[in-house]
Amino acid sequence: MGTPRLISVITPVFDGGHHYLREAYDSLCAQEMSDGWAWEWCVQEDGSTGVPMRQLPVDDSRIQFGTGLAGRAAVARNMALAQASGIVIRNLDADDLLLPGALMRDIETLRRVAWCVSAALDLLPGGEIVPGPYDPPNGPVDKERFYREQEDDKLSVQATTFAVHTDLIWALGGWTAITGAETVSTLLAAEAVTPGEFIAEPSVLYRKHSAQTTADDKYWNPQEEAARKRFGLMRAKSLRAGDYYYDLGDIDNGDGEIDESMPTEGRQAQAMSRLVRRKEGWS
């Protein structure tokens, strides 16, 4: 059997937000993988204390752990992306849990499209599990659906479930470097250049607790929240106005495989070659 193809799971974490990290790891270890596939976990601390790393085993070579200057979750995601070797990428927040079969379903879907999101179940502090009330239909996502929903403050998905071809996330410049909702902004950017799908089978337990970033009142400063929303919408609108589409690669035949000797700027240039002017592509 040859070297397995990789799905890189990207997790930002900070000192103080790391207390569920071991549970996230256990949920990764429980994943059944598609034939010929394996996972790696790229964990990036938003800071340099090294405290979150103590939650993880030191002898699991599938874990890539990094530290660095603090810049919030979007920056941490991008620093983790720079270490990723997978042909596809999956988000996983440090306090969430992957459900059985999540990565397998992502991989199967990413054979057809360049990105996908999936249903999430809320895990409440008392242990109660509650389904999302506004999930879209299973399958292909209507053009501009999430853009329109975000305009109306009615986004129907948890963008933390985002999975994507590595070439596409590189071509988009990584996660949007804003102070929050970077997963939403990046989802809208992907939607602007190529079709995606929604997976109705839940992929994650989205943990709600008092220490999560979005539970802090400072996160919901009205001016900052409006700026984040405006940035994400404007980015997607600009991409769509540029009339670009993403030229979908075949993840089973090595199309878009990572050359680990290539510097990051070369990796992005390679990926951007897939963003082409719309001719007979998706419309």
Side-chain angles (χ1 to χ4, degrees), residues 147-204:
Y147 181 92
R148 294 191 303 269
E149 290 179 349
Q150 180 67 354
E151 274 191 311
D152 295 336
D153 288 321
K154 294 180 179 178
L155 188 63
S156 59
V157 295
Q158 285 287 359
T160 55
T161 65
F162 186 61
V164 62
H165 284 205
T166 306
D167 266 352
L168 178 54
I169 193 72
W170 274 106
L172 294 172
W175 280 269
T176 313
I178 51 180
T179 59
E182 72 280 351
T183 55
V184 175
S185 180
T186 304
L187 169 62
L188 299 185
E191 180 188 47
V193 297
T194 189
E197 291 191 16
F198 176 75
I199 304 171
E201 181 76 16
S203 71
V204 74

Side-chain angles (χ1 to χ4, degrees), residues 87-106:
I87 197 169
V88 292
I89 299 289
R90 162 74 195 218
N91 267 329
L92 177 63
D93 284 355
D95 49 3
D96 293 341
L97 300 171
L98 285 176
L99 291 169
L103 298 186
M104 189 181 299
R105 291 188 294 273
D106 286 340

Side-chain angles (χ1 to χ4, degrees), residues 8-9 39 43 56 59 92 99 107 123 127 133 140 144 155 185 263 271:
S8 297
V9 180
W39 56 263
V43 183
L56 302 176
D59 58 350
L92 177 63
L99 291 169
I107 291 166
L123 177 59
E144 298 184 40
L155 188 63
S185 180

Side-chain angles (χ1 to χ4, degrees), residues 2-71:
T3 302
R5 303 204 184 286
L6 284 178
I7 179 169
S8 297
V9 180
I10 301 291
T11 298
V13 65
F14 63 94
D15 181 9
H18 63 282
H19 302 295
Y20 301 106
L21 196 60
R22 182 63 192 228
E23 291 182 50
Y25 170 72
D26 291 341
S27 76
L28 257 175
C29 291
Q31 292 292 303
E32 292 185 22
M33 298 302 296
S34 304
D35 288 344
W37 283 81
W39 56 263
E40 67 170 0
W41 196 19
C42 301
V43 183
Q44 179 72 30
E45 181 186 349
D46 184 32
S48 55
T49 69
V51 171
M53 184 169 62
R54 299 172 197 163
Q55 302 293 312
L56 302 176
V58 297
D59 58 350
D60 191 336
S61 61
R62 298 171 296 181
I63 302 174
Q64 310 293 328
F65 190 92
T67 62
L69 294 173

Side-chain angles (χ1 to χ4, degrees), residues 24 85 93 112 127 142 181 211 251 257 269-270:
S85 301
D93 284 355
R112 299 187 295 269
D142 291 342
I251 62 173
E257 281 192 341
Q270 174 184 305

Side-chain angles (χ1 to χ4, degrees), residues 129-143:
I129 295 174
V130 181
Y134 305 117
D135 289 344
N138 187 66
V141 177
D142 291 342
K143 186 179 178 183

